[in-house]
Amino acid sequence: METLTSVLSDTYWSPYVVGAGIGILSWLSFLISGKPIATSTTFARTGGMLENIITGGKADQRPYYKKIKLKLNWQWMLVIGVVLGSFLSAIISGDFQVGVWVPSLWDSAFGDSAVLRVLVAVAGGAILGFGARFAGGCTSGHGISGTLQLAVSSRVSAIFFFVGGIIAAHIIYYVIA
């Protein structure tokens, strides 16, 4: 039987255990904050806050930003926690290596050009962000929180997340690369 220390140092965790953990986190989020787990609005808020810095507060006047309110909130802390938790997990498991930032599959598809890899990653992120805002939620908002609430719109969104992911993977690895 594994101890907690050995489990935390594992490079890969069982998807069943991780899924149960995300479910428990969702329950706690509803119980403690009364809000579902979601993250994509954080990126829109951050974009608005950056626009405010550049334009001297003009983003606050846009209808969309009035609706989502440009402020640091629990979602912002969740995103920071995800990044820091991922980094900490990589350190504890010994999977983190300085100078090895690109997964081998990604490296084999896009080669040694860091510029090309960054451009593809930024383009993919922009498409994902646009899709998440267009659908009114991301994989965490619709895929986890929405399906947990049995929302039909979230179930439809989750189906198309997978369809879009499969199509994008085939385009990236069989057409572009």
Side-chain angles (χ1 to χ4, degrees):
M1 179 161 192
E2 291 185 284
T3 64
L4 180 60
T5 305
S6 68
V7 168
L8 291 177
S9 64
D10 285 348
T11 305
Y12 297 98
W13 288 6
S14 162
Y16 303 109
V17 172
V18 173
I22 291 171
I24 291 169
L25 181 63
S26 293
W27 294 339
L28 291 174
S29 177
F30 278 115
L31 180 68
I32 295 169
S33 71
K35 298 180 188 286
I37 292 176
T39 59
S40 63
T41 308
T42 300
F43 296 101
R45 282 191 182 107
T46 303
M49 286 187 256
L50 291 172
E51 183 180 342
N52 264 344
I53 291 170
I54 295 169
T55 63
K58 290 183 180 177
D60 283 327
Q61 306 309 314
R62 297 183 189 279
Y64 179 71
Y65 291 138
K66 285 182 180 177
K67 179 181 169 189
I68 66 170
K69 299 189 180 24
L70 300 178
K71 62 182 180 181
L72 298 181
N73 63 1
W74 70 273
Q75 277 189 2
W76 230 85
M77 297 303 127
L78 176 65
V79 170
I80 298 295
V82 167
V83 172
L84 291 177
S86 301
F87 180 69
L88 184 63
S89 175
I91 295 288
I92 291 172
S93 68
D95 199 36
F96 180 78
Q97 299 171 7
V98 175
V100 182
W101 297 94
V102 180
S104 58
L105 183 59
W106 189 256
D107 186 42
S108 67
F110 296 103
D112 294 334
S113 172
V115 173
L116 176 63
R117 292 191 305 234
V118 168
L119 287 176
V120 170
V122 168
I127 292 169
L128 181 92
F130 177 78
R133 293 295 80 220
F134 188 66
C138 61
T139 50
S140 57
H142 275 303
I144 296 171
S145 298
T147 56
L148 185 72
Q149 299 172 75
L150 304 177
V152 173
S153 62
S154 294
R155 292 183 179 271
V156 170
S157 294
I159 289 168
F160 283 99
F161 293 157
F162 283 100
V163 170
I166 290 167
I167 291 170
H170 275 79
I171 290 171
I172 290 171
Y173 292 111
Y174 297 113
V175 177
I176 295 174

